[in-house]
């Protein structure tokens, strides 16, 4: 796995490393190196060398630096020139989108150079303005402009694309639906071309729907549909080449979709918010008796469960989770 050094003036590197872990989970072979006012260039160089020496993987190292031309840049540049291996690479302009992209890429990429190319684009894409009309308009390449101008008619009903069966690459129950952990870590792990939020409530709430669509990660289309619609999509042969991530707000919505023919084979339980009458089962899951009964019905349909917030987490035991929920609910009932 490619190792990563974050280098900055002050504690910026430490802070962004902590932010990245909140979204992507704990990361191995990542170090923050900070330049403080009492340090000289040689002190910083020594800290950079110590950081690399602490890694299991020292042949492939990606350095993220805050500013081009400043002291952290100069010291990393010197290391690359004098002591660097062939696959030691530096990228400046450190921001959170590039770090998250790197975390995702290094699960599959073995080269720091390959990851650097990806994060360069992601770092720029992460800079946006709200309201969007204030963003400078970049000239579209001629080929892209021509493609955009070409008419795109609707695909006739009954058309079979691919094998005619939608591919559910990931399905998750998450009270927050599409947020940072989903848009970054799970999107990179599952590699969908569409994220479909399946919720009657959100589909009828234009504000929430708009906010979710605007949270789409680069290159992935986001749709918000009611449960009835996702059941229709699952049977529509025009979606045969679609690789979809499905997000459900509740296990009850997931059960309705599965009963309606949506081919979910594994369901990730990421977040179930606490409310009155529910018991806290883990730091991310709270359940009442209806939730327990619903999950058991889903299990009876042959669906496996993946219980974790992010891919880096260790999956928890479904049986242990249900047993704890039933025990806590029984205790709650006895105390009333």
């Amino acid at each position: 796995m490619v190792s990563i050094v974050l280098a900055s003036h002050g504690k910026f590197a430490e802070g962004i490393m902590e932010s990245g872990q909140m979204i992507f989970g704990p990361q191995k072979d990542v170090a923050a190196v900070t330049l403080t006012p009492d340090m000289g260039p040689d002190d910083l160089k020594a800290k950079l060398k110590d950081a690399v020496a602490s890694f299991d993987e020292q042949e492939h190292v990606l350095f993220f630096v805050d500013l081009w031309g400043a002291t952290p840049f100069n010291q990393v540049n010197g290391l690359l020139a004098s002591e660097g291996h062939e696959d030691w690479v530096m990228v400046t302009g450190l921001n959170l989108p590039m770090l998250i992209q790197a975390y995702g890429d290094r699960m599959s990429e073995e080269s720091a150079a390959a990851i650097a190319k990806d994060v360069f684009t992601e770092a720029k894409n992460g800079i946006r303005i709200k309201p969007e009309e204030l963003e400078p308009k970049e000239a579209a390449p001629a080929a892209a402009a021509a493609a955009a101008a070409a008419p795109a008619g609707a695909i006739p009903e009954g058309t079979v694309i691919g094998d005619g069966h939608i591919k559910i690459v990931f399905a998750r129950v998450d009270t927050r639906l599409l947020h940072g952990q989903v848009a970054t870590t799970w999107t990179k792990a599952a590699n969908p071309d569409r994220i479909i939020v399946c919720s009657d409530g959100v589909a009828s709430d234009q504000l929430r729907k708009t906010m979710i669509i605007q949270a789409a990660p680069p290159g992935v289309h986001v749709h918000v549909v009611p449960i009835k619609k996702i059941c229709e999509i699952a049977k529509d042969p025009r979606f045969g080449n679609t690789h979809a991530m499905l997000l459900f707000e509740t296990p009850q919505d997931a059960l309705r979709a599965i009963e309606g023919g949506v081919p979910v084979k594994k369901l990730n339980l990421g977040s179930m918010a606490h409310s009155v009458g529910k018991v806290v089962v883990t730091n991310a899951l709270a359940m009442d008796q209806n939730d327990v009964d619903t999950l058991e019905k889903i299990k009876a349909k042959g669906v496996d469960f993946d219980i974790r917030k992010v891919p880096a987490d260790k999956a928890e035991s479904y049986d242990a989770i249900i047993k704890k929920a039933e025990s806590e609910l029984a205790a709650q009932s006895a105390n009333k």
Side-chain angles (χ1 to χ4, degrees), residues 235-307:
K235 300 168 186 174
D236 193 326
R238 291 175 292 181
F239 291 88
N241 281 343
T242 297
H243 295 75
M245 171 187 288
L246 305 187
L247 301 178
F248 300 100
E249 199 167 13
T250 66
Q252 289 76 19
D253 281 350
L255 176 60
R256 286 176 55 206
I258 293 166
E259 289 177 336
V262 179
V264 174
K265 303 301 181 185
K266 179 178 287 187
L267 184 63
N268 171 255
L269 299 184
S271 171
M272 295 169 60
H274 183 267
S275 60
V276 177
K278 296 197 176 191
V279 295
V280 176
V281 185
T282 72
N283 62 355
L285 303 177
M287 302 180 189
D288 58 20
Q289 191 60 52
N290 185 25
D291 294 326
V292 172
D293 294 343
T294 299
L295 293 172
E296 289 288 79
K297 289 178 182 177
I298 293 174
K299 181 183 178 183
K301 292 187 174 294
V303 177
D304 293 327
F305 289 93
D306 175 27
I307 305 175

Side-chain angles (χ1 to χ4, degrees), residues 163-217:
D163 63 4
H165 301 286
I166 190 171
K167 314 301 183 296
I168 308 301
V169 296
F170 184 68
R172 176 178 172 99
V173 173
D174 192 324
T175 305
R176 295 182 292 168
L177 294 171
L178 182 56
H179 55 92
Q181 290 174 341
V182 176
T184 54
T185 62
W186 284 113
T187 300
K188 289 175 174 58
N191 197 29
D193 50 47
R194 293 180 189 273
I195 296 174
I196 305 178
V197 173
C198 311
S199 168
D200 292 350
V202 179
S204 62
D205 185 331
Q206 191 58 46
L207 177 59
R208 289 186 69 191
K209 182 176 179 179
T210 300
M211 292 178 66
I212 285 175
I213 291 174
Q214 289 180 343

Side-chain angles (χ1 to χ4, degrees), residues 119-159:
V119 302
F120 182 78
T121 299
E122 186 65 22
K124 294 194 295 181
N125 289 342
I127 301 172
R128 302 293 305 274
I129 299 176
K130 194 72 176 181
E132 295 172 356
E133 58 266 24
L134 296 179
E135 293 187 7
K137 297 294 185 286
E138 295 185 9
I155 300 171
E157 289 188 19
T159 302

Side-chain angles (χ1 to χ4, degrees), residues 1-4 6 13 16-31 62 64 96-109 115 119 184-185 188-189:
M1 180 179 286
V2 173
S3 300
I4 297 175
L6 311 175
I16 202 168
M17 183 169 73
E18 182 179 355
S19 297
Q21 289 180 347
M22 286 182 63
I23 295 173
F24 219 97
Q27 296 293 307
K28 180 182 177 183
D29 284 352
V30 177
L62 185 57
F64 285 143
L96 189 55
M98 74 158 66
L99 180 58
I100 295 303
Q101 179 71 32
Y103 284 168
D105 281 357
R106 73 182 192 147
M107 292 191 294
S108 56
E109 292 282 359
I115 296 176
V119 302
T184 54
T185 62
K188 289 175 174 58

